[in-house]
Amino acid sequence: AKLLVTYQPSPSSQLLSSLAATAEKPVALSVPKTVKILMPDDTVVVMEMDEYLKGVVPHEMAPYWPMEALKAQAVAARSYAATAKKFPEKGADVDTTTRSQVWSLTHYDTADQAVRETHNEVATYNGGIIHAFFFASCDGRTRSSEEVWSEPLPYVRSVPCIHKGPSLYGHGVGMCQQGARAYAKEGYTYRQILTHYYTGVAVTSQSPPQLLGAKVSPERGDTSTLFTFQVIYIDQDDDIPQVADIFIDGGSHVMTYIEGEHHSGALYE
């Protein structure tokens, strides 16, 4: 039988204070492309986010569980990884154990599907990605963060749970994995599962790069007129475009970066 992870460790008081301070006015975050993983031999491996999650989901939740539960786990694990900076002294975000999230090279088709079909999706509160706590099993209700730790976090409030085990199996804060399984069997979608366990959150997907506010000045002229073309480029990964050209009458003209941050809006001219 597949064993579930028994718990996530208690977060540090420093982390809790930081999460509480930013919950109502969060720093805008996007899903990082990569995760820095501290391996058992103390080396750090940089891995694509979804590749990392394919090694997490089936080791945090049994891969034969309902697909909607696996998708809920994928989104929770992505949200956790996106906000985790567990080992700054090692230059790593997470490790491969229950100190953060269990990871293994062993993949399963069901878990891979859950990760693919929730690509870039995270749980957000007030526009910021939440630190998505989860645990194995509860006794009919989850716990608010301050019942277990020191700080009240608005997105982890005590809620009733369809799963009524004899006792808590884990810290009790956030998503109950056995509960997610039971809700999925009842026909809940992964979004419904997540919004049940994480109070006031939205399940959102990172947007692809966008071009906004394109304009040309002057608006009219002839072949002797010097025209200026401008556009705002937004990429939530904060990546620069590989090519920044404008095509006019079959010809390519290079556009130049002027100002601004790519994740919020960079002006090209």
Side-chain angles (χ1 to χ4, degrees):
K2 176 71 179 176
L3 294 177
L4 292 178
V5 174
T6 59
Y7 65 94
Q8 286 177 320
S10 297
S12 67
S13 58
Q14 182 180 7
L15 174 60
L16 282 171
S17 296
S18 174
L19 293 174
T22 60
E24 296 298 340
K25 295 181 180 180
V27 176
L29 294 174
S30 60
V31 179
K33 283 187 173 182
T34 59
V35 181
K36 298 173 184 174
I37 309 165
L38 180 64
M39 292 296 180
D41 63 0
D42 217 35
T43 61
V44 175
V45 173
V46 179
M47 192 175 297
E48 294 284 336
M49 173 64 83
D50 277 9
E51 187 64 22
Y52 162 71
L53 293 173
K54 289 174 183 178
V56 169
V57 172
H59 303 287
E60 289 284 6
M61 183 175 279
Y64 53 82
W65 281 13
M67 180 55 64
E68 294 303 303
L70 293 173
K71 288 181 179 180
Q73 183 64 59
V75 175
R78 184 179 291 110
S79 303
Y80 185 90
T83 56
K85 303 294 178 187
K86 297 282 289 185
F87 307 97
E89 74 283 358
K90 302 280 190 179
D93 303 317
V94 294
D95 71 350
T96 63
T97 75
T98 56
R99 289 185 296 174
S100 49
Q101 300 186 124
V102 175
W103 174 89
S104 170
L105 281 170
T106 305
H107 287 196
Y108 294 82
D109 289 344
T110 52
D112 286 0
Q113 178 184 345
V115 172
R116 285 195 309 271
E117 293 184 1
T118 61
H119 176 66
N120 272 349
E121 288 191 71
V122 287
T124 62
Y125 183 86
N126 277 359
I129 301 174
I130 70 167
H131 200 70
F133 299 105
F134 53 85
F135 63 99
S137 176
C138 74
D139 54 2
R141 74 173 183 94
T142 67
R143 305 300 193 262
S144 295
S145 57
E146 66 271 24
E147 292 183 69
V148 181
W149 305 313
S150 59
E151 296 282 354
L153 299 176
Y155 50 81
V156 276
R157 303 290 83 207
S158 177
V159 297
C161 181
I162 192 173
H163 175 73
K164 295 178 174 63
S167 62
L168 278 177
Y169 195 47
H171 50 58
V173 178
M175 184 177 73
C176 170
Q177 292 169 311
Q178 287 284 357
R181 178 191 192 189
Y183 280 120
K185 286 183 174 181
E186 291 293 314
Y188 279 56
T189 68
Y190 70 98
R191 289 172 179 265
Q192 291 173 318
I193 293 169
L194 291 164
T195 54
H196 173 72
Y197 285 113
Y198 302 110
T199 303
V201 305
V203 179
T204 60
S205 180
Q206 184 179 3
S207 300
Q210 303 176 67
L211 294 176
L212 302 174
K215 63 181 181 179
V216 57
S217 61
E219 294 182 356
R220 298 181 180 180
D222 54 30
T223 55
S224 64
T225 304
L226 180 63
F227 291 96
T228 300
F229 297 87
Q230 292 184 329
V231 70
I232 301 294
Y233 176 85
I234 301 175
D235 188 313
Q236 292 185 6
D237 282 335
D238 208 26
D239 290 337
I240 64 172
Q242 293 184 347
V243 177
D245 288 355
I246 184 170
F247 291 85
I248 304 171
D249 294 333
S252 173
H253 303 268
V254 176
M255 301 191 77
T256 303
Y257 166 77
I258 303 298
E259 62 181 359
E261 301 291 337
H262 287 86
H263 68 268
S264 57
L267 175 64
Y268 280 77
E269 183 177 281

